[in-house]
Amino acid sequence: MVDATETTPQQATPQTTVERQAAEQPRVISGFVDLLRLDDIDLNLFRGWCHAGAPLRAFGGQVAAQALVAAGRTVEPGRVVHSLHSYFMRPGDPRRPLVYEVERLRDGYSYTTRRVTAIQRGEAVFTLSASFKKPEDGPDRQRAMPVLTDPELLPDPYADSAEDGAGNYWASTGRLTLDMRMVPPGSEGLPGRQAGVEEQFVWLKSASVLPVDDPLLHVCALAYLSDLTLASTAALHLQRPRAERKGPPTVNLASLDHAMWFHRPFRADEWLLFAQRSPSSSDGRGLAHGEFYTHDGRLVASVVQEALIREKRR
């Protein structure tokens, strides 16, 4: 049965933490609330600002997370995100705002579907389809999490990033918004390697406490985190991640598409293990799979990404 009743964003959801923030370009970024805040500019239209992930290129994880915020603003209370599918079509300009246009594709009895287009200078730079649903009971099973070194026992790989200068992502935005710990290759507990498969295991979380009563914020924060290291996993056969190498990168990386499935409730301000594997790289593209586990071993989300991988010309 399909419920065809539509409501406005103001009627659909109570004001969230992100909504309460000012609409102007953020001058100081201190947490995920700053990264995900949007301004309502009309019915189904929102505006946000994204920082650079590479010079003059908006960080794709933030674009995806803001698009998911926009979609969630138009969904009735009580429905949670269970999946998203997205495509990166053009590099966004971090010096200009992005406008997010939401299409209300379906409001069903159990499921709600939204499509979001991020627009800049009159052109679509990103599209996202997201599905929300009513929670329900059912049989439960999952893959077991590998038992790896506790994140509190691992060094901060970017503790000295301030030495890289203010233009470096980790010296500015990254150090203020998230915590990351890399599990070293060869660590005890890592699963056996397969020929042709690259692997990377990273602990991630928000650096600041997020509101308990805003589950959409936690999901959107995880969408942001999920885009940080997947592309580098797909390129491990060509270069080590930044935290494990010295010198400039030798490979150009860019997200092409990104899909996520959310399985169980979680908090993005508590440590999550991001177990990543890349089974293939060819034709200038690499594919990577990832799974997010809570510290106590619950599988809470899965992600798949294809990334552009091109060696830099000498």
Side-chain angles (χ1 to χ4, degrees), residues 267-288:
R267 294 187 58 84
D269 53 6
E270 298 177 349
W271 284 114
L272 295 165
L273 176 64
F274 194 13
Q276 303 158 79
R277 298 172 181 84
S278 176
S280 176
S281 178
S282 65
D283 190 38
R285 297 170 293 122
L287 184 69

Side-chain angles (χ1 to χ4, degrees), residues 156-286:
D156 183 347
Y158 298 106
D160 300 324
S161 62
E163 299 177 1
D164 295 342
N168 176 271
Y169 169 80
W170 286 102
S172 53
T173 306
R175 296 292 303 138
L176 297 173
T177 57
L178 62 97
D179 289 327
M180 176 186 293
R181 301 291 185 271
M182 315 286 289
V183 179
S187 295
E188 184 178 354
L190 288 175
R193 292 290 302 272
Q194 291 180 279
V197 177
E198 296 290 349
E199 297 181 336
Q200 185 172 206
F201 296 84
V202 182
W203 291 96
L204 293 165
K205 72 178 181 69
S206 166
S208 58
V209 176
L210 301 179
V212 177
D213 60 348
D214 196 349
L216 179 63
L217 179 63
H218 290 262
V219 170
C220 294
L222 192 63
Y224 178 103
L225 294 172
S226 70
D227 193 41
L228 287 169
T229 56
L230 268 179
S232 67
T233 301
L236 282 175
H237 61 296
L238 297 175
Q239 69 175 17
R240 299 304 302 170
R242 182 185 180 278
E244 299 177 8
R245 71 170 190 268
K246 296 182 179 180
T250 59
V251 177
N252 287 318
L253 298 175
S255 303
L256 294 174
D257 59 8
H258 196 88
M260 295 189 73
W261 296 264
F262 302 94
H263 312 305
R264 296 169 179 85
F266 63 90
R267 294 187 58 84
D269 53 6
E270 298 177 349
W271 284 114
L272 295 165
L273 176 64
F274 194 13
Q276 303 158 79
R277 298 172 181 84
S278 176
S280 176
S281 178
S282 65
D283 190 38
R285 297 170 293 122

Side-chain angles (χ1 to χ4, degrees), residues 104 153 175 233 291:
R104 303 180 185 224
L153 301 178
R175 296 292 303 138
T233 301
E291 295 173 336

Side-chain angles (χ1 to χ4, degrees), residues 135-168:
E136 58 185 276
D137 295 326
D140 194 297
R141 63 174 178 81
Q142 67 163 74
R143 188 208 305 260
M145 180 184 78
V147 180
L148 302 177
T149 307
D150 191 279
E152 300 295 349
L153 301 178
L154 295 171
D156 183 347
Y158 298 106
D160 300 324
S161 62
E163 299 177 1
D164 295 342
N168 176 271

